[in-house]
Structures are given as C-alpha cells and as structure tokens.
Amino acid sequence: MSEPVEFKWDKKLIIRDNKNGDKVLETFPEDKLERVKYANFLTKFLADQGYDKDAREKHNYVLNLNSEWGSGKTYFLRRWAEDLKEHYPVVYVDAWKQDYSDDPLMTVISSMIKQLREQAGSPEDKAVIKASRKLFGLLKAAAPSAARSLTKRYLGIDPVKIMEASEDDDQLGNATDENGKPIDMGLAASKVVEHLICEHDAKSAAIESLKMSVEQWVATVIGKDQTQEVDEPKRTYPAFVFIDELDRCRPSYAVEMLETIKHIFDIPGVVFVVATDTKQLQHTICGVYGNGLDAMSYLGRFFHSRFTLKTPSYRSLLPVHCDVDKLAYQRLTSRGLTIWPRVDDEETDLLNITNVYEALELSARQVIQVTERLISTIGNVKDKSGLNIIYLTFLLCTREKHPHLFDELVRKSLTQGANYSDQLIRQFDLSLKWKDFDIHFDLEPNTDIGPLLAGKGKTPAHNTYHKGRYRCSLRDYIDAVHPHYVVGGIDQGKFDKANADLIVRNGKLTAIEQQAFSRHLVSVFTGKQNKKIKHKVGMYKDLVELASALDWIDGEDEA
C-alpha cells in the first residue's frame, strides 16, 4: 500500500522558472469547485494500482478521467500533475496542442523524454534519458501507414484486388499494373505477405525497445532522489502519464492517438490517465468509423476503469467562468435600470438565473454560453431602461435548447386555444421541468403597490400587502408575465379583493395560496412595469436574436 498523499488547493499556486529570473510559468487559482478531494482519492487509488510497495511489484494501469467541458477538467488535471511531481515521476501531454503532428506516438515519447529529463536533472547532451537513433528509426517504420497506397506503390497493384479475387478468378491471371503490364499475382501476393510480416516485426521490435527505454527513464528519475537528504521528499513508483484534451483533437488524430499509445500502456510501474469528455470522444470515433460502431465498447479496449468528475452546481461553476457580478441587482440599478424581479442579495440573484438553467436542463457548456450572452445583452441595454431579467434569461435558454418553442412563444400566448392540448403551454409542460424550480423576488409595498392603490383612489391604509420575499414556480412566473409582452396582450396587472383579503390574514397562507398570491404579485408588478416602460415581446426577441448570434469559441477548460 502506498503512503497517502494529501494536497491542499485552497490557495493560489504560482509556478516559477527559478533558472530564468523567477519568471512566472503558470498560475493556478484557488480550487473554487472543491476538486482537491478527487485528486487525493485518485492519487492513492492509482498509486496502489501501479505499485505494490510491500511486494515491490510494478504494474500498469490506465484510467479514463471523464468530465464534460466546462466542469474544470483541465484545471484539475494540470494542478494535480504539478503537485504530483514532488512524489512521483510525471508526464503531462496536451494532445490538442500537438495534433498538428502526424505521429501521435512520437508526440508522447518526446514529451516523456523532455519532462522526465527535467525531473531527473539530466542535461540534453547526456544519454541517460534519450532515445537512440535506432529507436526513432524503428518507430518511424512502425508508424501507422496507408498500407494500401504503399503496396500499390511498391507492387504496382491495388492490394484490395488481390484480397477480393478468388483462386479460380480469371482476373488473377489477367491483372496488370498501372502501365498495363501483366503481373504475376502469385508473386504479388507473396510480396504483400512479406511486406506485412516485415512491418509487423519492425513494429514489435520498436514497441519492445520503447517499453524498455521508458522503464529506464522512470528508474533514472526515481534513482536521482535516493541521493537526497532523508527529510526531503523522494519520488517513487508509479510514474504518472497524463494525456489531456484528446476529445478536442481532429477525429483522425484522436483515434490514431488511442490506437497507437495502447501499445505502451502496459509498461510496469506506469499509470496512464487519459482525460476526455467521453460523450464527445464517442462522437469523434463514430465520425471516423461510422455510426454503426459501438463507441463505448471500443473505448473499453483501452481502459481498466473510468472515473467521472461530478459536474459542479451551476452556482459554483458560473463565478469561475463568467463575471456574474455584472448581473447583480445593485450593480444594474446603479445604471438607472429598472430590474424585475427585484432581489436585494447577489446569492438569490444567481439562484434565480440558475433555476432557469436547471428547469431547461442546459449542459455546463450551454450554461456558460447563455450566461455570457446574458451579460453581453444587458451590457448593451440603454441606461435608465427597464428589463425583466428572468424573462430574458428564459427566452435565451429556450432559444438555445428548444428553438421551435421559442419561435412559437414570441408569436402567441401560452394559453391560446380552447383546450389545454391545443395550448402552447402544454408543449412547455412536456419539454421542461419548470414546475419544479422557483423564482424569488422582494416586495416593497409602499414603493411597488402604493402608487397603484393611490391611482384607484385608495389611501395607504388600504395597502395590506406585506414587505418580504415571495416566490412562485418558473411556470407560474412565465405564465403571468408573458401576456403583458405579446402583441395585443391583456392587462392582468390589476388588484382584486380576493387577493388583497388573503394578505389581511397576516400572511398566514397555505402553500397553494402562497403560490397563487405570488403569481398575482408577478402579474401586478409586470403590468405596472409594462405600462411604464412599454415592454413588448419584440424587444426581447431582438435582444435574444442578437445575443444568440454570438458564440464563444471553446478555450481550455481551466475552471
């Protein structure tokens, strides 16, 4: 059993190049998504799989680290690799940054040589961690090749013709090369077999030589530490090799990388961690081999196990990727904007928005994209304007996830039609979980309700609404506000005695009464704002269409 290693990521980590004037090489922010617990667990797990310390037995192990884009996979992998360097030999390969290469195996080997040499403190001209010319030559010969084109070039005939022809096929004796000269098919077939055998032998020799070299390189790094003082950390087996961003590579390169490095997976004392968005990688594989391939089973050929990083809550994820402070109620009102719903704390502001995301079941990637669009859209709204931020968020999400429903929503009422089955709201009920997520808002009776009562000839004494925080389901919220924005919409922003009487009972409402009254307040306030600012769905449609045309190109997943 290996000794437990415990990392702490509660502070920013800065990596400096001490040989170059303390130049900053890389900066890792504090771990806001609480990923360190996974690093601690996986370190112990993989160390035990790769090396039995008591029996001094070395093993190989391959783990697929699965995590969707936006969930912090690259940050996790790079910081984990950096901290591991004090305890184990470590190699980190960014496959995407090197997919310009036509040889994935050489990419991995060159990364191993460079990084293990640095960890061993070995200069470049020292042969202790260095691939021989013979090894490079063998690897080059063993690299994946277009056997069909090679055979055609050397033998002058398409090998497919040889394989497809039967023994009694008349074409066997009539085959010609590209110049029309007759070919002895028996001799050609013999040469094809000879070529394949030679290629196989070269490949086997190259792989065996490579494995021995890697074992020696790892032993050199570990051996270096044995000369250090007793109280200094000493690296031990296994070595960790991280391969990141494979799912972002061009499809052919990703498949070649998997097919090629599988030959060096079984090196004793070396564990591989291949980080992917596995669903995306499956699409990549199907793009190469066709949709008929069972991509999950195909990937199972390469890995002993798969560990999936749990996607963090959207409330944890968004502050890492987006400047959510720009959506805070206080910040928006400082521009003179009139925002509805009003919530006086940033945590609930964010909760309202993420509840919309949860109701529409957006992916982490979509959540980040929509939030960036929301921030950009609000940033372009004129100061001293009015905005229903939840309604805008809902439209942005619907446009992203259900564009056909968005097209219908901006043209008509949710409840248009004689029967429920004919109404648009039924389609939303079938497509969304919007009944399960609430929208929270604050009510200030004197400011929000008083002016409306005064307009009806009533005195402040008639204002029996209570100050406080209310909530209603997203479904009730959208159903209450949408009629005010559609062209030709009706004004539901009115008071009726029944609703007012509910509040006279000192706010002691049942859950059903609370929902009904909150929906009433949403309608009342929306009606007030709609009259004041003259909102129409066309305004929101234009904002959404402009924002949806803006896409953020996926960068590194550094959360």
Side-chain angles (χ1 to χ4, degrees), residues 183-219:
I183 290 179
D184 183 337
M185 293 301 294
L187 177 60
S190 176
K191 288 186 176 181
V192 169
V193 172
E194 181 182 348
H195 171 73
L196 293 175
I197 291 175
C198 290
E199 186 180 70
H200 179 270
D201 290 344
K203 186 173 185 178
S204 298
I207 296 303
E208 289 306 312
S209 179
L210 171 62
K211 290 177 182 179
M212 292 178 60
S213 295
V214 173
E215 286 189 72
Q216 292 172 0
W217 300 340
V218 171

Side-chain angles (χ1 to χ4, degrees), residues 264-316:
I264 59 172
F265 276 168
D266 60 343
I267 301 174
V270 180
V271 297
F272 285 80
V273 179
V274 183
T276 64
D277 179 339
T278 304
K279 286 185 178 180
Q280 184 61 37
L281 185 57
Q282 287 178 44
H283 292 313
T284 296
I285 292 169
C286 288
V288 174
Y289 291 119
N291 292 326
L293 178 75
D294 184 348
M296 182 60 78
S297 297
Y298 171 85
L299 287 176
R301 300 165 48 198
F302 304 101
F303 309 123
H304 290 95
S305 62
R306 177 174 293 113
F307 186 89
T308 300
L309 290 180
K310 181 181 178 182
T311 301
S313 70
Y314 295 150
R315 277 185 285 170
S316 299

Side-chain angles (χ1 to χ4, degrees), residues 93-106:
V93 180
D94 187 329
W96 181 61
K97 284 187 175 179
Q98 301 190 60
D99 82 340
Y100 58 82
S101 167
D102 291 328
D103 193 337
L105 184 57
M106 299 298 284

Side-chain angles (χ1 to χ4, degrees), residues 81-152:
E82 189 62 38
D83 281 359
L84 275 174
K85 288 179 181 178
E86 290 187 10
H87 308 276
Y88 305 95
V90 175
V91 176
Y92 175 87
V93 180
D94 187 329
W96 181 61
K97 284 187 175 179
Q98 301 190 60
D99 82 340
Y100 58 82
S101 167
D102 291 328
D103 193 337
L105 184 57
M106 299 298 284
T107 295
V108 176
I109 295 171
S110 61
S111 296
M112 283 184 167
I113 292 174
K114 179 180 179 181
Q115 295 177 42
L116 291 178
R117 179 188 290 143
E118 290 175 353
Q119 292 168 50
S122 174
E124 292 187 12
D125 57 355
K126 192 173 182 179
V128 66
I129 298 183
K130 193 171 184 179
S132 66
R133 290 186 178 182
K134 179 180 179 181
L135 174 59
F136 275 119
L138 287 171
L139 289 172
K140 187 174 182 180
S145 60
R148 183 174 181 178
S149 62
L150 283 176
T151 306
K152 187 173 182 180

Side-chain angles (χ1 to χ4, degrees), residues 18 22 204 213 225 278 333 361 384 387 415 444 451 494:
N18 296 325
D22 285 340
S204 298
S213 295
D225 286 3
T278 304
T333 54
E361 300 180 282
K384 299 183 179 179
L387 195 65
T415 54
E444 174 54 65
K494 61 182 180 179

Side-chain angles (χ1 to χ4, degrees), residues 447-555:
T447 304
D448 300 332
I449 306 300
L452 295 179
L453 285 172
K456 296 179 180 292
K458 302 210 175 178
T459 66
H462 291 92
N463 190 353
T464 56
Y465 290 81
H466 288 276
K467 178 179 180 179
R469 178 158 295 174
Y470 296 84
R471 66 181 182 180
C472 65
S473 70
L474 176 63
R475 183 189 193 275
D476 284 345
Y477 183 90
I478 298 301
D479 191 28
V481 304
H482 184 63
H484 298 285
Y485 300 147
V486 294
V487 176
I490 59 174
D491 180 11
Q492 294 180 337
K494 61 182 180 179
F495 295 92
D496 58 70
K497 191 172 183 303
N499 276 309
D501 286 345
L502 287 174
I503 301 306
V504 174
R505 299 186 333 210
N506 297 320
K508 295 179 180 179
L509 309 178
T510 66
I512 294 177
E513 289 173 335
Q514 163 72 17
Q515 283 282 334
F517 181 69
S518 294
R519 184 184 185 285
H520 166 71
L521 289 179
V522 170
S523 182
V524 166
F525 197 81
T526 304
K528 170 193 170 186
Q529 291 302 100
N530 196 43
K531 287 181 178 180
K532 177 181 177 182
I533 307 171
K534 301 186 183 302
H535 284 179
K536 292 296 181 185
V537 74
M539 179 194 83
Y540 288 98
K541 178 184 177 183
D542 290 344
L543 291 175
V544 171
E545 294 290 1
L546 285 170
S548 298
L550 184 62
D551 282 323
W552 274 257
I553 306 301
D554 295 346

